[in-house]
Amino acid sequence: MRPLTLLLTIFFSISLLFASNVCAADLKLNYSLFFGYMKTLYKLNYTHVTTAFYLTDKKTKQPCRIKNAVIVVDDSRQQINFDKIGRLRPLLSQKFYQAGAMIEVSLLKPRLNKECDLNVTLMAKESELNNLSYGKMKMISTELEGLLRKNAGMIGKYFLPPFEGLIIEPAQVLTKTKMSQLDKRITIDKKGNLLISNKTLKALDQTKLLHVSVTKIMPWIKVS
């Protein structure tokens, strides 16, 4: 079971630096850091959400742009998928986990990003972001809460803060016209993200679409 403090740090969307060795442009991360979260998601067999891994600069909080990423097992090196903007996309592999594999990352700007944090983010799958109905968002919210509680473990889930609903990141800054078209129960935070509570999701017409282009949907967790 992962330490509760570690889980709370991750799910509050606070950057967490895992043990790593940085040499020149190389960031070395233990594959086991990724494996536990991927295995949990696999067991739940959720269809709407995923666990994403991002590298961000510890000081600036900007993405650590990736040049290349490989998984290393003994003398074997295998390419893994990644997004240049800082997201790692390793595959779930019991074999790599048991062999004590490491993930080595080369950065595009190693002199600028001298220290990178690994952020674990629960979010809706990219394939779910088109033609968003309130019914689909309700299912996304249910799965995000289930994944959050499963990662926290049998004891940790009782100490999690309230799961309010969804944080929705628009693809573009909303115009006044777009904002006026939103349901009045949907609020907007200081960053321009939409906040939709589970209570609101339940009350809205499940077939109605959210006519806003979206880049990301994440859990809305109330932090005191």
Side-chain angles (χ1 to χ4, degrees):
M1 182 182 298
R2 305 180 189 87
L4 176 59
T5 53
L6 173 61
L7 284 161
L8 292 180
T9 300
I10 291 171
F11 295 125
F12 286 170
S13 298
I14 296 175
S15 180
L16 177 66
L17 179 64
F18 290 101
S20 61
N21 297 316
V22 181
C23 180
D26 294 330
L27 175 66
K28 297 183 179 180
L29 300 166
N30 196 311
Y31 177 75
S32 64
L33 296 174
F34 304 83
F35 179 80
Y37 293 101
M38 292 189 291
K39 186 176 180 179
T40 297
L41 182 62
Y42 175 79
K43 286 183 175 180
L44 290 172
N45 195 31
Y46 284 160
T47 58
H48 300 289
V49 302
T50 189
T51 304
F53 305 98
Y54 290 95
L55 296 175
T56 56
D57 188 276
K58 187 175 183 180
K59 292 184 178 180
T60 67
K61 307 305 178 184
Q62 296 300 308
C64 290
R65 296 178 67 84
I66 299 172
K67 182 179 181 180
N68 192 38
V70 296
I71 190 161
V72 181
V73 182
D74 298 325
D75 295 329
S76 174
R77 303 173 68 84
Q78 180 177 321
Q79 190 77 38
I80 65 171
N81 293 329
F82 63 91
D83 298 342
K84 288 184 179 180
I85 199 64
R87 182 176 177 181
L88 292 167
R89 297 176 179 267
L91 293 174
L92 177 66
S93 171
Q94 185 76 28
K95 177 182 176 181
F96 288 156
Y97 172 70
Q98 292 176 338
M102 299 291 292
I103 292 179
E104 295 188 0
V105 182
S106 296
L107 303 176
L108 282 171
K109 297 180 179 180
R111 292 184 180 180
L112 179 64
N113 304 131
K114 294 181 179 179
E115 193 168 15
C116 296
D117 293 350
L118 177 63
N119 290 277
V120 182
T121 303
L122 307 185
M123 55 191 285
K125 290 180 179 178
E126 293 151 314
S127 59
E128 299 296 311
L129 300 181
N130 296 321
N131 298 318
L132 272 171
S133 68
Y134 292 115
K136 180 188 285 188
M137 285 190 285
K138 183 180 177 182
M139 290 187 286
I140 288 172
S141 182
T142 298
E143 291 191 0
L144 284 175
E145 184 174 13
L147 181 55
L148 177 68
R149 292 186 177 280
K150 191 66 175 181
N151 275 321
M154 290 297 294
I155 298 176
K157 65 183 180 181
Y158 296 109
F159 296 91
L160 291 172
F163 184 91
E164 296 291 331
L166 301 177
I167 298 176
I168 298 177
E169 183 180 288
Q172 299 174 335
V173 177
L174 297 184
T175 63
K176 289 184 178 181
T177 300
K178 280 286 186 181
M179 288 190 287
S180 66
Q181 293 172 348
L182 294 173
D183 187 279
K184 294 181 179 180
R185 288 166 289 187
I186 298 175
T187 58
I188 302 177
D189 66 14
K190 294 180 180 179
K191 296 181 179 180
N193 297 322
L194 307 183
L195 303 178
I196 307 182
S197 70
N198 287 319
K199 182 178 180 180
T200 296
L201 281 174
K202 185 177 180 180
L204 291 169
D205 182 347
Q206 301 295 286
T207 63
K208 189 174 181 180
L209 297 179
L210 177 72
H211 295 292
V212 174
S213 296
V214 174
T215 57
K216 191 180 293 184
I217 300 179
M218 298 172 292
W220 175 15
I221 301 172
K222 190 172 184 179
V223 184
S224 58

